[in-house]
Structures are given as structure tokens and as C-alpha cells.
Amino acid sequence: MQRRAQGACEYCRLPQEASILPHQVDHIIGRQHRGSDDVANLCLCCIHCNLKKGA
């Protein structure tokens, strides 16, 4: 996942270096929607994109 993301948010492509807070690991399909913990369902994302997601 880290290699795939190349150090940038996988939603908006903001580089980690341009972000004040470290990027987070996020479930693409949330656990509450029966998403798995498989690497294929995880992505690296910035705090802004992670907070925009909702149920």
C-alpha cells in the first residue's frame, strides 16, 4: 500500500511532505459496510480526505 501510494494521499494525491499531519491508513470500503482489512481495501490518505468520508 505504501509503495502503491508513493507517499501521497490516494484520494487527492497530496504529498505527505505537504501535509502538517501524517497521512493515515483508511479502509476504502468501511468495516461497517463489511469491508475487509486486506491491503487491497486499504489506502493512504490525508486527514482532510479521511474526515470528508462519512457513513
Side-chain angles (χ1 to χ4, degrees), residues 5-24:
Q6 298 178 337
C9 173
E10 293 190 75
Y11 295 124
C12 72
R13 302 304 304 158
L14 176 73
Q16 173 62 69
E17 297 83 32
S19 180
I20 295 170
L21 297 172
H23 286 5
Q24 304 172 344

Side-chain angles (χ1 to χ4, degrees), residues 25-44:
V25 175
D26 181 44
H27 287 84
I28 297 168
I29 300 172
R31 285 178 162 175
Q32 72 247 27
H33 299 293
R34 299 188 182 174
S36 71
D37 289 334
D38 293 337
V39 173
N41 189 44
L42 300 175
C43 70
L44 192 65

